[in-house]
Amino acid sequence: MRLLCLFLFISSFASAQQKVAVVLSGGAAKGLAHIGVLKALEENEIPIDYVVGTSMGGIIAGCYAGGMSPAQIEDIVLSKEFLDWVNGRFENGRSYYYFKKENDASFLKLNLSLDSTFSFQLNTSIASDLSLNFALAEKLAQPSAIANNNFDSLFVPLRVMASDIFTQTEIVLKKGVLSDALRTTQTAPFFYNPIRIDGKYLFDGGVYNNFPVDVAQRDFNPNVIIGSNVSSKVYNTYPYGEDEKLISRSLLYMLLDKSNPNDVPANGVYIQSNLQDYTAFDFTKAKAMIDSGYFQTLRQMPEIKSKIAERRTCEAVSAARNKFNNKTPAIIVENIRYEGFSKSQQKYFNRFFKSGKRPLYYNEIKTGYYKLVSEPFFNNLYPSFNYDQSRKNFEFKLTKRPQNNFQVDFGGVIATRNISNIFLGLNYYSFNRALTHFTANFFAGNFYKSVMLKARMDLPYLGQFYVEPEMVINSWSFLQGDDVIQQKFTPTVLDRVDRRYGINIGFPFGNEFKVVVNGSLYNNSDSYIDRGVLVSTDTLDLLRVRGSRLGFSISANSLNRKQYASEGKAFSLSGNWFSLEETLNPGNTSVQNFISVNQHSWIQGKLTLEQYFRAGIYSSGYYLEGVLSNQPTFSNYFGTIINAPAFNPLQDSRTLLLQNFRAFNYAAGGWRNIFSLRKSLDLRLEAYAFKPLEALFETSDQKTGLNSDITKIYFAGTAGLVMHSTLGPISLSVNYYDDKNRQLAVLLHVGFLLFNRGAMD
């Protein structure tokens, strides 16, 4: 009897000493199933003494070791903010409109590094990690501080896998800033830019060890290992028809099938969640994948309990977790360190973090960081928080990664009307005391040609502002833009060249608005006829306009796309004073037979509002525009109408001379309805009304008359399909204008129908 009691005592003591390690594999989005595994284990009182992970498994393991409960981790990955992080978007309200580039026709960007020897280096990263990096630094700064950067001192001891691709070896991370380790373990080559750990650039742990059971055995020597694997073959058969769009992700697929079930010892438990219906990029299906991990673990719970005798109640786990988290220090930053930057560059950065003010609180750091990285040039910055145990406060560090200072943009449009063009943009950055962005872009086509040169100098003085000299030359040939498949329209005989030489001075106004004060000189020439039909013997009127303008604008833009938006809002308010000399040299279609010279000056105000409201697959929005001015008429009607403000509601409006949609004073607006038929395919139905406060009409002597008839309202609308592709939008639409020369037409275009602003716009 005594021997039996002694045996039972020893057995119970041995079982109480059972240590359990949980190993979580890599697998990108599929790794979210690990959250369900952890949740099922805790609910069933299975102890978790150690966690080891790779890639997404490393992130889940690190969050758990950092004191987050499975429910808290689940709340994070189900949030909208999480989708923003993994998709490279900024959180709502964090975009800094001051740095937003003017929309252009580019759809492909090539990022290069140009050094003093004029050598180029290609940036191979295809994903933005700016939001993800800060989110990891934010969420894990405090547990890393509690553990003093020792992964054995976290809520549960942790190991995270990384890879040194130069020596082709796996790296086991067991100390250091926790957020750095988690960011490193999911750095898939060519997808995310790497960061340095102990002086080395490290990559995704899945390159060499996607299921680190051996690390758990070697470092922790547990009694039982529970291995959760989400990595499996992505396709059992070759994906014919999809291979071209999937090939860019081929390296990531190589990382997903390196997990061997036999790595888990016989006394352990191997869990393979059923994730066959999901891909490594299905982050929007996080809930379903978490549930898959949860229910698979429940199905194997009898096996788990048979191998693990010890139980740890939920109350005991919560108490231990609370005890760990109660040591959390507040994120108060006493020092900011810039690694890899000169003193003059550091002075520039300090403007974003309230120069001279210390300490800084967490929200001040976050605001400054997002303002700074809103400028695309600073997408190389990597943030981290490090706790100073002696001073009991944090240091915020911004580290320089490989710099890209030269960008080449490619774009343009192909259309069924003769308005196709190609676009090339060149961007070069110089950064020292100020940030200077040199831009040159070029359009080339039969209908439209353009050259734009500008240099924006961001100066960190007087708060912050920029000075931007610019030169723009636009050339439009409306006769060349006629419809190539429908010939029933009367062609517009008009060649326009406008030249603008100016300077813009811009200021931020909060996070969402920008104020720009501008001045410019312009020299425009227009050639046209004064009747509907051109014959070979006709000579054209030549209208020259030379003058200057001074103005200001207040604008904001959070639209989700630069064309065919379906979310967000935009606002613009501008005021301009024009002073010019008009010279008309009439051709043989003009009733005027002498050269006339006139001086004009006027003031113009313009307001534009656009906003969308989304509910499921349906998004509706309004577009409103109004212009008020005291602009005078020009020497003849056609010269007046082409220099009058225009309402351009549809994608091709700027390629048409719509006489009924031009006036010195008008109010216009419309409603846009967007139905998301598929992830990248929209059905758009739009309708607009244009009310000129004084309609312009041609008198019998080719002069301009003004008609204030309140019943004059003109309508426009479109119905079409838009597919959002890597080449820009692919749109097939039927467009209607209440205009005698162009009423109903079908338009198919691939690419962005966007142009540089004209001198009078």
Side-chain angles (χ1 to χ4, degrees), residues 335-559:
N335 180 51
I336 299 180
R337 180 154 59 100
Y338 307 103
E339 194 167 280
F341 296 97
S342 68
K343 288 185 177 180
S344 57
Q345 292 172 332
Q346 293 180 31
K347 288 181 180 179
Y348 180 90
F349 289 150
N350 271 331
R351 292 284 178 172
F352 293 86
F353 298 100
K354 300 187 175 182
S355 298
K357 180 185 181 298
R358 298 294 184 271
L360 292 175
Y361 295 96
Y362 160 72
N363 196 56
E364 294 173 314
I365 292 292
K366 187 171 185 176
T367 298
Y369 170 79
Y370 273 105
K371 281 185 177 182
L372 185 56
V373 299
S374 291
E375 164 52 63
F377 177 69
F378 294 123
N379 64 7
N380 68 313
L381 295 179
Y382 178 76
S384 61
F385 291 95
N386 205 347
Y387 190 66
D388 188 324
Q389 295 289 343
S390 61
R391 296 186 178 184
K392 304 301 181 185
N393 55 45
F394 283 90
E395 175 188 73
F396 181 64
K397 183 172 73 170
L398 285 173
T399 304
K400 181 180 181 179
R401 295 184 289 176
Q403 186 82 50
N404 300 303
N405 58 0
F406 191 78
Q407 178 180 298
V408 183
D409 299 333
F410 302 94
V413 65
I414 299 173
T416 52
R417 284 178 47 215
N418 197 16
I419 55 176
S420 303
N421 61 62
I422 58 175
F423 171 85
L424 173 67
L426 304 175
N427 300 271
Y428 176 74
Y429 290 89
S430 175
F431 178 41
N432 196 14
R433 293 182 182 274
L435 176 66
T436 304
H437 178 192
F438 299 94
T439 301
N441 70 37
F442 308 89
F443 287 86
N446 290 331
F447 167 69
Y448 178 68
K449 300 176 180 66
S450 179
V451 176
M452 182 183 74
L453 303 174
K454 63 182 179 180
R456 170 171 162 161
M457 293 167 281
D458 281 284
L459 305 167
Y461 309 113
L462 303 176
Q464 190 172 22
F465 72 99
Y466 69 80
V467 178
E468 182 182 59
E470 66 175 353
M471 180 194 77
V472 183
I473 301 175
N474 294 312
S475 174
W476 314 76
S477 181
F478 282 82
L479 181 60
Q480 297 299 319
D482 193 31
D483 202 306
V484 297
I485 61 173
Q486 297 182 8
Q487 302 296 328
K488 65 180 181 180
F489 300 117
T490 303
T492 301
V493 181
L494 171 64
D495 285 320
R496 307 204 70 184
V497 177
D498 67 56
R499 309 168 188 87
R500 182 173 78 250
Y501 315 93
I503 188 167
N504 305 309
I505 301 174
F507 305 86
F509 186 63
N511 281 5
E512 298 182 1
F513 292 87
K514 177 172 65 176
V515 178
V516 177
V517 179
N518 55 73
S520 60
L521 302 175
Y522 51 91
N523 183 356
N524 302 348
S525 60
D526 298 299
S527 301
Y528 53 85
I529 62 173
D530 295 292
R531 63 186 179 206
V533 180
L534 175 70
V535 297
S536 59
T537 58
D538 284 343
T539 58
L540 306 183
D541 289 9
L542 176 60
L543 179 69
R544 296 189 180 277
V545 175
R546 299 181 179 88
S548 59
R549 66 185 284 180
L550 293 173
F552 76 92
S553 67
I554 304 172
S555 59
N557 189 327
S558 62
L559 300 177

Side-chain angles (χ1 to χ4, degrees), residues 502-649:
I503 188 167
N504 305 309
I505 301 174
F507 305 86
F509 186 63
N511 281 5
E512 298 182 1
F513 292 87
K514 177 172 65 176
V515 178
V516 177
V517 179
N518 55 73
S520 60
L521 302 175
Y522 51 91
N523 183 356
N524 302 348
S525 60
D526 298 299
S527 301
Y528 53 85
I529 62 173
D530 295 292
R531 63 186 179 206
V533 180
L534 175 70
V535 297
S536 59
T537 58
D538 284 343
T539 58
L540 306 183
D541 289 9
L542 176 60
L543 179 69
R544 296 189 180 277
V545 175
R546 299 181 179 88
S548 59
R549 66 185 284 180
L550 293 173
F552 76 92
S553 67
I554 304 172
S555 59
N557 189 327
S558 62
L559 300 177
N560 63 330
R561 301 187 184 101
K562 54 187 176 182
Q563 193 170 22
Y564 299 114
S566 60
E567 295 182 48
K569 57 186 177 181
F571 163 86
S572 176
L573 173 65
S574 63
N576 287 280
W577 173 76
F578 296 86
S579 178
L580 59 86
E581 179 184 86
E582 170 212 0
T583 302
L584 176 64
N585 189 349
N588 68 348
T589 63
S590 173
V591 299
Q592 182 175 318
N593 56 12
F594 59 90
I595 297 175
S596 62
V597 179
N598 296 290
Q599 302 291 328
H600 302 296
S601 62
W602 70 90
I603 296 174
Q604 179 193 96
K606 183 176 182 179
L607 174 66
T608 302
L609 299 170
E610 181 178 1
Q611 187 171 9
Y612 296 89
F613 308 91
R614 192 170 191 87
I617 64 169
Y618 173 64
S619 179
S620 64
Y622 62 80
Y623 182 85
L624 303 174
E625 187 172 287
V627 172
L628 292 176
S629 75
N630 60 342
Q631 182 174 344
T633 60
F634 283 34
S635 295
N636 60 19
Y637 169 74
F638 207 82
T640 299
I641 203 74
I642 61 178
N643 286 288
F647 178 55
N648 299 312

Side-chain angles (χ1 to χ4, degrees), residues 712-738:
K712 283 191 175 296
I713 300 177
Y714 301 98
F715 299 95
T718 183
L721 294 171
V722 180
M723 176 174 288
H724 304 282
S725 74
T726 55
L727 297 179
I730 302 173
S731 170
L732 175 63
S733 62
V734 179
N735 297 342
Y736 169 79
Y737 292 103
D738 196 352

Side-chain angles (χ1 to χ4, degrees), residues 10 26 85 89 178 208 229 263 273 294 298 427 432 486 499 544 579 585 611 640-641 664 677 692 752:
I10 293 172
W85 303 337
R89 298 189 297 260
L178 182 57
Y208 299 119
N229 176 42
D263 289 342
S273 302
Y294 178 78
L298 290 184
N427 300 271
N432 196 14
Q486 297 182 8
R499 309 168 188 87
R544 296 189 180 277
S579 178
N585 189 349
Q611 187 171 9
T640 299
I641 203 74
F664 297 150
L677 304 181
F752 292 101

